[in-house]
C-alpha cells in the first residue's frame, strides 16, 4: 500500500539540497533541525515548484536576499558586487528550486507516485509564511550554508491520479 | 569553420553555464528560450549540436525534439538533453525518443563538454588564452618539466572563463607530454574574490583528478586566507617560485 507518510522526505531533501548546492554553487550545505516557528529574518527570496499527479504539493527553498545574491554570484561565476539585476537572482533561485524539486519528483515517481513538475515560481518579501491548505504532510528543514541559513519546506498530499 | 551550438533553455542561468562551458572552444553559440524559438533557430542556423532543456514553457524539450526528429533536414542533429528529473519514467521517455545523451541537473560545465566531445569535435579557440600550435599563452610557462600558471592581479568573471578554458586545454597537453607537476603562481594577486576562489578550486580539483602534483606560490597573507578555505587548505603554499620548484 502506497502511503506518503512512508516517503523518506528528510533523506531525499538532504541528498538533493547538498548535491545541488555542492555542484552548482561549490558550497557545502549542512542540514539541521529547524523548529516550526523558526524563520528567516529580513527580506528573503523563495523559489517553489509544485508536484501534480499521484502526489500533490510543493517544495519551497527560502533564502535571505543577501544569500540569494551570493548564490547567484557563485552560480554565474560573478563577483557579489556585480550581481545587480533581480531577474538574475530570481532565475538562479528558480533554477535551484527546479533542481531540488526535480530530484524529489524523480524519487516520488520511483516510489510509485507518478507526478509532473511545474515551472518554478518566485516569491519575495519579508515576514511571511507559506501555508498550503488541505495538504496532509509538512516537512521543514534548515541547512547551514556559508554562515547563512536556508530553509526547505515540503507540503504534500496524495493525489487522485 | 566554427562549430554551431544551439542552447535551448528558459533559464538564463543555465544558458550562461552552457555558454561558459563552450567558451574555450571554437564555437558559435545561439540561444533560444523555448521549444518554438529553438525549432526556428535550428531551421535557420542548422546547428551541429543542440543542448536542450526538457522543462520549458510554451513548448517543452520533449515536444521540440519530436518535431525536430520529424524534419528530415534537422533530424540528424545530435542533441544533449538536460533534465532536473532522473526518475525511471523520465529516462524511459527520453530514451524512447532516441536520445542517448542526457545530463541530469545539477551538472558542471565540464560534464557537458565531456558529453559533447563524444558527439562532435571541439577545437580549442584560437586566441590569446589558447593557441592551437601548442605555444604558451601569457599565463603559462613550462620550465624544467614543471608547468607554471601565473594568475593576474585581479580575476574577474571574464578572466576566469579565459583562464579556465586555457588551463583545461593546457592540462591535456601536459598529460599527453607526461608533465605532471604544476605551480600555481598567485604572487601577483591583489584581491581574493569569488572568481579567484572558483579558479583555484577548479585547478585544484583538475590536478587531483589527474594526479598532478601542485604547489601554490603566494604571500603570507594569501597563505593565511587560503588555509581557511577547505578546498585550498591542503595544497602546500610556498613564499617563492624557487621554494616551490625545489619542493616539486
Amino acid at each position: 500500500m502506497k502511503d506518503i507518510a512512508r516517503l523518506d522526505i528528510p533523506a531525499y531533501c538532504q541528498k538533493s539540497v547538498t548535491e545541488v548546492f555542492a555542484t552548482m554553487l561549490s558550497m557545502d550545505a549542512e542540514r539541521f533541525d529547524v523548529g516550526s516557528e523558526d524563520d528567516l529574518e529580513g527580506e528573503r527570496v523563495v523559489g517553489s515548484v509544485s508536484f501534480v499527479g499521484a502526489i500533490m504539493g510543493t517544495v519551497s527553498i527560502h533564502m535571505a536576499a543577501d544569500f540569494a545574491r551570493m548564490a547567484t554570484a557563485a552560480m554565474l561565476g560573478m563577483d557579489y558586487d556585480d550581481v545587480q539585476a533581480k531577474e538574475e537572482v530570481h532565475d538562479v533561485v528558480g533554477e535551484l528550486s527546479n533542481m531540488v524539486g526535480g530530484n524529489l519528483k524523480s524519487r516520488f515517481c520511483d516510489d510509485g507516485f507518478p507526478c509532473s513538475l511545474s515551472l518554478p515560481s518566485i516569491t519575495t518579501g519579508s515576514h511571511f509564511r507559506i501555508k498550503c491548505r488541505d495538504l496532509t504532510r509538512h516537512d521543514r528543514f534548515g541547512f547551514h550554508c556559508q554562515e547563512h541559513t536556508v530553509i526547505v519546506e515540503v507540503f504534500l498530499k496524495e493525489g487522485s491520479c | 569553420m566554427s562549430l554551431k551550438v544551439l542552447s535551448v533553455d528558459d533559464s538564463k542561468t543555465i544558458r550562461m553555464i552552457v555558454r561558459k562551458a563552450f567558451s574555450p572552444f571554437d564555437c558559435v553559440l545561439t540561444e533560444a528560450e523555448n521549444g518554438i524559438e529553438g525549432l526556428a533557430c535550428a531551421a535557420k542556423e542548422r546547428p551541429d549540436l543542440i543542448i536542450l532543456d526538457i522543462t520549458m514553457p510554451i513548448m517543452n524539450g520533449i515536444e521540440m525534439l519530436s518535431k525536430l526528429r520529424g524534419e528530415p533536414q534537422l533530424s540528424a542533429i545530435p542533441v544533449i538533453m538536460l533534465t532536473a528529473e532522473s526518475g525511471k519514467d523520465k529516462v524511459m521517455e527520453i530514451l524512447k525518443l532516441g536520445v542517448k545523451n542526457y545530463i541530469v541537473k545539477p551538472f558542471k560545465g565540464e560534464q557537458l563538454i565531456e558529453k559533447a566531445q563524444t558527439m562532435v569535435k571541439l577545437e580549442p579557440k584560437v586566441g590569446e588564452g589558447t593557441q592551437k600550435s601548442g605555444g604558451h599563452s601569457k599565463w603559462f610557462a613550462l620550465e624544467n618539466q614543471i608547468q607554471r600558471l601565473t594568475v593576474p592581479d585581479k580575476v574577474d568573471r571574464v578572466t576566469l572563463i579565459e583562464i579556465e578554458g586555457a588551463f583545461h586545454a593546457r592540462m591535456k597537453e601536459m598529460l599527453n607530454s607526461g608533465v605532471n607537476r604544476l605551480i600555481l603562481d598567485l604572487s601577483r594577486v591583489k584581491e581574493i574574490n569569488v572568481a579567484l576562489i572558483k579558479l583555484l578550486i577548479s585547478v585544484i580539483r583538475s590536478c587531483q583528478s589527474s594526479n598532478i602534483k601542485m604547489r601554490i606560490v603566494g604571500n603570507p597573507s594569501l597563505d593565511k586566507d587560503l588555509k581557511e578555505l577547505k578546498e585550498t587548505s591542503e595544497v602546500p603554499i610556498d613564499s617563492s617560485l624557487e621554494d616551490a620548484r625545489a619542493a616539486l
Side-chain angles (χ1 to χ4, degrees), chain B residues 1-65:
Chain B
M1 196 166 140
S2 299
L3 195 84
K4 289 196 246 179
V5 179
L6 171 61
S7 169
V8 188
D9 203 306
D10 61 315
S11 165
K12 192 178 165 190
T13 302
I14 298 297
R15 294 201 308 272
M16 191 179 271
I17 290 170
V18 171
R19 198 185 317 145
K20 185 181 161 191
F22 281 95
S23 65
F25 301 98
D26 185 16
C27 298
V28 175
L29 200 82
T30 312
E31 296 180 355
E33 289 186 16
N34 57 61
I36 288 180
E37 278 185 18
L39 277 175
C41 281
K44 186 181 169 199
E45 301 290 337
R46 302 290 166 88
D48 301 294
L49 176 67
I50 299 177
I51 314 298
L52 178 58
D53 185 32
I54 290 189
T55 311
M56 292 184 291
I58 305 173
M59 181 191 281
N60 68 32
I62 302 277
E63 286 175 84
M64 178 182 154
L65 185 66

Side-chain angles (χ1 to χ4, degrees), chain A residues 125 127 151:
Chain A
H127 304 296
I151 291 179

Side-chain angles (χ1 to χ4, degrees), chain A residues 19-20 23-24 26 28 74-79 91-92 95 98-99 102-103 105-107 109-110 117 119, chain B residues 11-14 16-17 55 57 84-89 105-108 154 157 193-195 198 230:
Chain A
E19 190 183 342
V20 168
T23 307
M24 303 311 296
S26 301
D28 292 330
M75 196 147 158
L76 300 181
M78 300 164 74
D79 282 344
D91 198 68
V92 164
E95 195 54 45
N98 177 47
M99 289 179 192
N103 202 301
K105 183 246 176 191
S106 302
R107 303 287 79 76
C109 291
D110 291 347
L117 192 69
L119 293 167
Chain B
S11 165
K12 192 178 165 190
T13 302
I14 298 297
M16 191 179 271
I17 290 170
T55 311
E85 303 168 30
S86 59
K88 288 174 212 148
D89 61 333
K105 297 175 189 176
F107 70 100
K108 289 261 185 213
K154 185 175 189 296
R157 185 164 41 139
N193 56 24
V194 175
K198 284 177 88 84
K230 184 184 164 194

Side-chain angles (χ1 to χ4, degrees), chain B residues 4 24 31 40 54 56 64 91 124 130 143 210 227 248:
Chain B
K4 289 196 246 179
E31 296 180 355
I54 290 189
M56 292 184 291
M64 178 182 154
V91 172
T130 313
E143 297 150 346
S210 302
K227 289 291 181 211
L248 283 171

Side-chain angles (χ1 to χ4, degrees), chain B:
Chain B
M1 196 166 140
S2 299
L3 195 84
K4 289 196 246 179
V5 179
L6 171 61
S7 169
V8 188
D9 203 306
D10 61 315
S11 165
K12 192 178 165 190
T13 302
I14 298 297
R15 294 201 308 272
M16 191 179 271
I17 290 170
V18 171
R19 198 185 317 145
K20 185 181 161 191
F22 281 95
S23 65
F25 301 98
D26 185 16
C27 298
V28 175
L29 200 82
T30 312
E31 296 180 355
E33 289 186 16
N34 57 61
I36 288 180
E37 278 185 18
L39 277 175
C41 281
K44 186 181 169 199
E45 301 290 337
R46 302 290 166 88
D48 301 294
L49 176 67
I50 299 177
I51 314 298
L52 178 58
D53 185 32
I54 290 189
T55 311
M56 292 184 291
I58 305 173
M59 181 191 281
N60 68 32
I62 302 277
E63 286 175 84
M64 178 182 154
L65 185 66
S66 301
K67 291 189 187 299
L68 199 73
R69 294 296 188 233
E71 290 285 335
Q73 290 175 318
L74 306 176
S75 60
I77 299 173
V79 173
I80 297 175
M81 297 209 79
L82 300 179
T83 176
E85 303 168 30
S86 59
K88 288 174 212 148
D89 61 333
K90 190 56 74 179
V91 172
M92 289 306 293
E93 194 178 4
I94 295 169
L95 293 176
K96 277 181 191 166
L97 287 164
V99 173
K100 292 174 187 165
N101 292 290
Y102 63 92
I103 293 178
V104 177
K105 297 175 189 176
F107 70 100
K108 289 261 185 213
E110 292 89 336
Q111 290 169 259
L112 178 61
I113 294 303
E114 263 179 39
K115 190 73 83 179
Q117 280 173 326
T118 66
M119 306 166 80
V120 292
K121 192 165 172 25
L122 291 172
E123 297 280 359
K125 193 180 278 177
V126 180
E128 56 181 11
T130 313
Q131 294 173 21
K132 270 185 182 172
S133 61
H136 298 146
S137 76
K138 60 186 175 185
W139 298 301
F140 295 93
L142 185 64
E143 297 150 346
N144 299 322
Q145 287 296 95
I146 298 176
Q147 183 71 62
R148 174 157 53 99
L149 165 53
T150 305
V151 178
D153 55 354
K154 185 175 189 296
V155 179
D156 58 18
R157 185 164 41 139
V158 175
T159 326
L160 166 69
I161 293 169
E162 287 178 356
I163 300 178
E164 266 193 319
F167 173 70
H168 289 299
R170 188 53 56 102
M171 275 284 282
K172 282 186 186 161
E173 290 178 19
M174 287 170 63
L175 294 172
N176 288 338
S177 56
V179 175
N180 63 354
R181 292 174 293 173
L182 179 123
I183 294 174
L184 185 60
D185 184 0
L186 303 180
S187 53
R188 294 183 190 173
V189 169
K190 291 177 181 162
E191 176 189 325
I192 294 187
N193 56 24
V194 175
L196 176 66
I197 298 295
K198 284 177 88 84
L199 176 65
L200 295 182
I201 291 171
S202 171
V203 169
I204 290 167
R205 285 184 179 162
S206 295
C207 287
Q208 284 171 341
S209 64
S210 302
N211 287 323
I212 300 234
K213 290 176 194 163
M214 77 170 284
R215 297 187 79 89
I216 292 176
V217 173
N219 60 42
S221 67
L222 192 74
D223 185 353
K224 184 174 171 289
D225 291 336
L226 296 184
K227 289 291 181 211
E228 287 172 1
L229 291 167
K230 184 184 164 194
E231 288 84 358
T232 54
S233 62
E234 289 174 10
V235 180
I237 299 173
D238 300 296
S239 56
S240 71
L241 277 172
E242 290 69 29
D243 288 350
R245 284 196 199 103
L248 283 171

